């Protein structure tokens, strides 16, 4: 193992006033060793003492702090970190390091308690070493076998813990090949070695399991969740897992989706399927996380009735309250699939009696694939802050704990963006999305700007002016990506399969249920109840009314909900066609600005970072230009309407 990019933990605190530490705890936990190790890494000048320590960590009884929260006080020149548990002390120590490195030292005393109980990362890593939707090299866990690079796993665990992540699933939800057998005793010893490393950083390990494992692993003739032999199979599997890994978190399941089998195969409900696995996990306090990403991916493109956006709500709403206590439903942030712009999933707020986790995607499948810059925190925040219109107009961040019967079994998960590339994320700047996701999960009220500022200060050595310039780039990057790719939330005009680059009709005459319906008169999917698929009615009354009416539907979501003529005038005052032209020209100009700014930062960046950004921005510009030319030409041909500004549109 070589020490790879230390990302935002690259700067140790070298301060002659911080020379000693003391840990007061009665806990016996591997996390105490972790604390010592982190103290030595983050504060290299420090040694242990028994009194008057510069950093004094103590376990206290203070229910306000909960299981993971911490308080940092500064008394004279000494810091006192208090928490109820060792993991709180670790978060406090990493929090202190961050405060000192970012220079936010006027913030003491700090009391910090996580907004969400579960803060999870999902890996889509395959056992053969590939990563589904991975853009940063192969899997850090597998390479056809267990990679056994435990130093690397430890580096990863500390990065995750430093931003407050407390759960991780290590293998792809499409569980295939040898990964199906990860639940077998002979594979579990290796899983345990990984689990131990995560446990020492307060992170629970989960496995994705194949719903049909009873057949594929157990050799049974069925995976029917109501079949006694299937139940027995899972009971046995779970007993074995916990005998090897007592701190095991539980399972994550994708069923009846995109080719995976599930309860529908046996005419059972998703509650039947999830509860069967939950029963097996229950005696060990294990958790069953069940994904709501279920839809028919074999649709006829000419079938205008079926609407993929409606599927999750249709399937899961009627099951609300029917899941066992240790089941959590995991709901993608939008009703379709991680597009750059989608409305919030209508399940969020509609489910009241079921534990729930919101799912984001950090890996940039549809948002630039870690070539194009796209800071995702602004999008994540829009979702968390979305006021659902249900009960006191609670926002998504509030309903997650409030509408889950067990607050402890609610939270947020996101698909990882890391791989074997030296800088973990392919693009150095994409590290910000992992960092930002974690920080935001811990504190849902942090602003995108605060998070970006902290990350820049922890990662780079920039002057104030350069810091501002870099922050401006990242803060505008989501809008820029949206500008040159997808107008007004129409979605899926990308190349089929790979989801990078423009292919306007790539999905239009296909089975995936993602259509823009552009013709000579207009564009967009009518999802109204009056004349379309009726998806609007899945929202609370407040949002139903807003989305149903073309005049009140927000511009940025217009084409998700309505089919309108190209001459339709947006609330912004522009026509749809002019908006398309303007945003695409603007997007390209923004990328050119980014390139110029990046060049100005050259002398303050290390050569590797500079070259990495330069190469990515160059590719981003090519991509943006391709999108612009293709989209503008396509819609000019369809509409026959010229650009008001008379700019060049190729025909
Ligand atoms: C893991 C999208 C992706 C798939 C992914 C799926 C999911 O459809 O393209 O690669 O599969 O989402 O979330 O299960």
């Amino acid at each position: 193992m070589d020490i790879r990019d230390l990302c935002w933990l690259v700067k140790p605190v070298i301060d002659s006033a911080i020379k000693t530490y003391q840990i007061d705890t009665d806990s016996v936990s591997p996390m105490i060793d972790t604390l010592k190790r982190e103290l030595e890494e983050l504060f290299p000048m420090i040694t242990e003492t028994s009194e008057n320590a510069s950093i004094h960590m103590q376990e206290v009884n203070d229910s306000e702090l909960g299981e993971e929260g911490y308080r940092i006080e500064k008394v004279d020149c000494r810091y006192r970190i208090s928490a109820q548990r060792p993991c709180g002390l670790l978060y406090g120590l990493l929090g202190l390091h961050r405060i000192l490195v970012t220079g936010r030292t006027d913030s003491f005393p700090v009391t910090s308690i996580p907004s969400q109980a579960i803060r999870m990362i999902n890996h889509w890593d395959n056992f053969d070493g590939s990563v589904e939707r991975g853009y940063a090299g192969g899997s850090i866990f597998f390479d056809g076998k267990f990679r056994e690079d435990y130093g690397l796993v430890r580096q990863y665990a500390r990065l995750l813990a430093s931003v407050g992540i407390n759960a991780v699933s290590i293998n792809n939800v499409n569980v295939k090949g040898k990964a199906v057998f990860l639940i077998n005793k002979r594979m579990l010893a290796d899983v345990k070695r990984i689990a131990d490393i995560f446990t020492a950083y307060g992170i629970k390990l989960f496995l994705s399991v194949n719903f049909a494992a009873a057949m594929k692993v157990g050799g049974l003739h069925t995976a029917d969740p109501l079949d006694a032999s299937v139940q027995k199979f899972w009971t046995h599997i779970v007993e074995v897992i916990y005998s090897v890994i007592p701190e095991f978190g539980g399972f994550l399941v994708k069923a009846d989706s995109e080719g995976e089998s599930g309860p529908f195969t046996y005419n059972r409900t998703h509650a039947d399927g999830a509860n069967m696995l939950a029963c097996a996990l229950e005696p060990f306090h294990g958790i069953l996380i069940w994904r709501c990403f279920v839809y028919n991916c074999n649709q006829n493109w000419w079938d205008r009735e079926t609407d993929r956006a409606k599927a999750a709500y249709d399937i899961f709403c009627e099951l609300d309250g029917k899941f066992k206590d240790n089941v959590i439903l995991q709901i993608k942030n939008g009703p379709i699939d991680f597009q750059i712009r989608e409305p919030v999933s209508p399940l969020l707020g509609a489910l009241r009696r079921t534990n729930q986790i919101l799912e984001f995607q950090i890996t940039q499948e549809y948002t630039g694939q870690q070539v194009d810059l796209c800071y995702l925190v602004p999008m994540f925040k829009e979702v968390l802050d979305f006021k659902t219109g249900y009960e006191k107009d609670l926002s998504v961040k509030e309903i997650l704990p409030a509408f889950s019967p067990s607050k402890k079994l609610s939270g947020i998960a996101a698909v990882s963006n890391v791989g074997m590339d030296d800088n973990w994320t392919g693009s150095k700047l994409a590290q910000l999305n992992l960092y930002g996701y974690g920080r935001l999960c811990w504190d849902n009220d942090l602003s995108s700007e605060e998070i970006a500022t902290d990350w820049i200060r922890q990662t780079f050595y920039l002057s104030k002016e350069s810091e501002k310039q870099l922050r401006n780039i990242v803060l505008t990057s989501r809008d820029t990506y949206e500008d040159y790719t997808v107008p007004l939330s129409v979605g899926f005009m990308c190349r089929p399969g790979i989801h990078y680059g423009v292919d306007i009709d790539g999905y239009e005459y296909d089975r995936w249920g993602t259509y823009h319906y552009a013709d000579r008169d207009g564009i967009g999917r009518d999802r109204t109840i009056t004349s379309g698929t009726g998806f609007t009615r899945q929202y609370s009354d407040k949002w139903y009314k807003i989305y149903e009416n073309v005049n009140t539907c927000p511009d940025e979501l217009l084409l998700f909900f309505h089919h309108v003529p190209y001459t339709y005038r947006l609330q912004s005052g522009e026509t749809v066609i002019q908006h398309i032209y303007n945003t695409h020209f603007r997007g390209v100009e923004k990328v050119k600005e980014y390139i110029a700014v990046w060049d100005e930062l050259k002398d303050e960046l290390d050569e590797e970072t500079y070259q990495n950004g330069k190469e990515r921005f160059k590719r981003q510009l090519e991509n943006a230009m391709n999108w612009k030319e293709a989209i503008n030409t396509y819609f000019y041909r369809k509409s026959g309407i010229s650009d008001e500004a008379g700019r060049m549109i190729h025909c």
Side-chain angles (χ1 to χ4, degrees):
M1 192 268 318
D2 55 338
I3 297 284
R4 294 209 289 173
D5 190 334
L6 294 174
C7 305
W8 53 88
L9 294 181
V10 67
K11 298 184 185 179
V13 173
I14 314 276
D15 179 346
S16 55
I18 305 180
K19 31 181 194 280
T20 51
Y21 76 86
Q22 185 183 348
I23 305 175
D24 281 342
T25 172
D26 293 330
S27 299
V28 182
S29 156
M31 296 194 71
I32 305 300
D33 286 339
T34 307
L35 266 180
K36 292 186 178 169
R37 238 174 127 160
E38 286 306 320
L39 276 156
E40 280 157 23
E41 287 192 38
L42 299 173
F43 299 85
M45 313 216 350
I46 215 162
T47 53
E48 195 164 0
T49 182
S50 54
E51 57 188 20
N52 288 333
S54 329
I55 300 180
H56 182 191
M57 281 171 281
Q58 54 179 6
E59 263 178 26
V60 293
N61 278 329
D62 182 346
S63 54
E64 193 205 332
L65 297 177
E67 300 214 343
E68 298 174 301
Y70 61 84
R71 181 170 299 117
I72 311 176
E73 292 150 296
K74 186 172 183 194
V75 186
D76 301 327
C77 281
R78 293 199 287 273
Y79 299 98
R80 188 164 60 218
I81 304 175
S82 317
Q84 298 218 102
R85 297 274 169 86
C87 65
L89 293 178
L90 181 64
Y91 291 135
L93 178 67
L94 291 156
L96 174 64
H97 172 260
R98 178 174 60 244
I99 290 168
L100 295 176
V101 169
T102 56
R104 296 196 189 269
T105 44
D106 51 359
S107 49
F108 299 115
V110 173
T111 300
S112 190
I113 296 148
S115 309
Q116 303 291 337
I118 296 176
R119 305 174 301 279
M120 186 171 196
I121 291 286
N122 294 162
H123 279 261
W124 285 356
D125 294 24
N126 297 313
F127 199 77
D128 67 6
S130 61
V131 179
E132 182 152 348
R133 310 307 176 187
Y135 311 106
S139 165
I140 60 170
F141 302 116
F142 314 111
D143 60 357
K145 54 183 178 29
F146 283 88
R147 189 180 283 280
E148 295 183 345
D149 192 341
Y150 300 112
L152 190 67
V153 176
R154 183 185 163 266
Q155 284 186 57
Y156 183 50
R158 71 190 291 258
L159 284 173
L160 294 187
S162 75
V163 291
I165 298 301
N166 64 1
V168 65
S169 58
I170 59 169
N171 63 308
N172 191 358
V173 289
N174 291 325
V175 189
K176 50 193 177 194
K178 288 202 178 129
V180 179
F181 300 91
L182 282 172
I183 52 180
N184 262 352
K185 190 155 189 174
R186 59 196 155 75
M187 306 274 267
L188 286 171
D190 290 291
V191 177
K192 180 178 165 50
R193 295 188 71 175
I194 297 174
D196 284 347
I197 294 167
F198 281 122
T199 304
Y201 278 89
I203 300 167
K204 280 231 176 260
L205 181 140
F206 288 70
L207 287 177
S208 301
V209 292
N210 189 302
F211 188 79
M215 298 163 79
K216 297 184 185 206
V217 177
L220 302 181
H221 69 281
T222 179
D224 180 351
L226 300 193
D227 185 286
S229 62
V230 174
Q231 294 165 1
K232 203 167 147 209
F233 165 81
W234 282 109
T235 303
H236 174 68
I237 287 287
V238 170
E239 278 168 8
V240 172
I241 293 178
Y242 278 91
S243 71
V244 180
I245 313 171
E247 57 289 327
F248 183 66
F251 295 145
L252 172 64
V253 184
K254 170 175 178 178
D256 285 319
S257 175
E258 301 185 332
E260 299 294 323
S261 80
F264 286 164
T265 317
Y266 306 96
N267 285 324
R268 309 297 185 196
T269 70
H270 276 243
D272 293 332
N275 289 343
M276 181 271 293
L277 290 166
C279 260
L281 289 159
E282 196 175 24
F284 305 94
H285 308 291
I287 298 168
L288 193 267
I289 306 177
W290 189 268
R291 295 177 84 227
C292 295
F293 184 62
V294 183
Y295 70 99
N296 171 12
C297 67
N298 285 307
Q299 196 185 321
N300 287 326
W301 58 262
W302 57 89
D303 163 11
R304 293 241 178 178
E305 305 273 293
T306 308
D307 181 359
R308 171 171 165 179
K310 291 169 74 178
Y313 183 100
D314 282 346
I315 294 166
F316 288 96
C317 240
E318 63 186 31
L319 299 176
D320 193 19
K322 300 208 166 99
F323 292 93
K324 283 185 68 68
D325 292 349
N326 60 333
V327 174
I328 308 176
L329 292 187
Q330 182 161 307
I331 307 163
K332 281 194 183 183
N333 65 270
I336 299 275
D337 195 6
F338 299 137
Q339 300 299 288
I340 188 76
R341 179 75 66 178
E342 279 186 62
V344 168
S345 166
L347 270 178
L348 295 160
L351 292 175
R352 304 299 170 77
R353 289 171 294 140
T354 306
N355 298 315
Q356 40 200 292
I357 281 181
L358 164 66
E359 180 178 330
F360 288 128
Q361 193 183 43
I362 311 175
T363 192
Q364 292 173 241
E365 177 179 358
Y366 296 97
T367 53
Q369 304 202 348
Q370 282 137 251
V371 175
D372 302 31
L373 180 65
C374 187
Y375 177 38
L376 294 166
V377 168
M379 180 208 282
F380 297 164
K381 277 191 74 67
E382 273 167 22
V383 177
L384 288 169
D385 291 343
F386 176 76
K387 290 195 170 294
T388 57
Y390 292 109
E391 285 168 38
K392 299 191 201 132
D393 212 7
L394 292 182
S395 56
V396 168
K397 66 188 174 200
E398 292 166 319
I399 64 105
L400 291 169
F403 289 0
S404 294
S406 166
K407 191 176 161 188
K408 277 188 173 177
L409 298 188
S410 64
I412 310 178
V415 185
S416 158
N417 62 348
V418 310
M420 284 303 289
D421 280 4
D422 283 345
N423 63 14
W424 298 91
T425 49
S427 155
K428 172 84 181 171
L429 294 179
Q431 291 176 358
L432 171 58
N433 283 329
L434 181 61
Y435 175 91
Y437 164 74
R439 294 288 312 278
L440 184 65
C441 286
W442 179 280
D443 181 350
N444 293 175
D445 294 328
L446 284 175
S447 69
S448 303
E449 186 165 353
E450 273 171 284
I451 293 174
T453 303
D454 280 359
W455 176 75
I456 292 170
R457 290 186 186 168
Q458 286 189 261
T459 307
F460 300 112
Y461 295 86
L462 297 182
S463 66
K464 279 273 164 290
E465 184 49 33
S466 301
E467 174 185 307
K468 197 168 141 201
Q469 284 183 303
L470 182 53
R471 188 170 49 234
N472 282 344
I473 292 185
V474 297
L475 284 173
T476 54
S477 60
R478 187 271 184 117
D479 291 344
T480 298
Y481 191 79
E482 183 177 15
D483 271 354
Y484 64 77
T485 55
V486 170
L488 305 164
S489 70
V490 75
F492 274 96
M493 291 179 168
C494 54
R495 284 165 65 196
I498 65 164
H499 301 164
Y500 186 79
V502 57
D503 187 345
I504 300 162
D505 285 335
Y507 276 107
E508 197 57 14
Y509 305 101
D510 210 335
R511 62 189 172 93
W512 296 91
T514 53
Y515 313 115
H516 55 66
Y517 295 127
D519 58 22
R520 64 183 181 178
D521 300 320
I523 175 173
R525 176 108 208 223
D526 185 346
R527 292 191 159 101
T528 64
I529 199 128
T530 318
S531 49
T533 67
F535 170 66
T536 52
R537 196 48 280 193
Q538 293 188 341
Y539 287 89
S540 60
D541 288 345
K542 166 181 144 181
W543 286 109
Y544 156 63
K545 283 182 198 139
I546 291 172
Y547 292 148
E548 176 76 9
N549 182 340
V550 70
N551 297 315
T552 53
C553 182
D555 282 350
E556 68 273 12
L557 292 176
L558 185 71
L559 302 182
F560 195 93
F561 287 105
H562 297 273
H563 185 87
V564 296
Y566 296 108
T567 50
Y568 180 81
R569 210 161 275 283
L570 300 168
Q571 291 167 26
S572 70
E574 284 172 325
T575 59
V576 166
I577 189 71
Q578 197 54 42
H579 174 93
I580 292 174
Y581 296 148
N582 288 349
T583 48
H584 284 80
F585 281 111
R586 184 173 69 200
V588 169
E589 290 314 306
K590 290 296 283 185
V591 181
K592 287 182 184 161
E593 280 172 30
Y594 295 169
I595 291 174
V597 172
W598 192 249
D599 273 340
E600 281 174 36
L601 299 182
K602 183 174 191 298
D603 293 342
E604 292 178 59
L605 297 169
D606 65 86
E607 185 61 14
E608 208 173 321
T609 297
Y610 170 71
Q611 291 299 345
N612 177 266
K614 188 177 152 89
E615 181 256 349
R616 304 270 151 167
F617 280 130
K618 181 170 172 278
R619 286 161 68 190
Q620 178 169 3
L621 183 60
E622 280 161 21
N623 191 34
M625 288 171 64
N626 286 339
W627 274 90
K628 179 197 84 172
E629 303 303 357
I631 293 259
N632 285 351
T633 301
Y634 180 95
F635 287 105
Y636 174 66
R637 285 187 189 165
K638 283 267 179 214
S639 69
I641 301 171
S642 305
D643 171 33
E644 280 170 3
R647 290 162 291 195
M648 164 68 86
I649 293 178
H650 301 285
C651 269

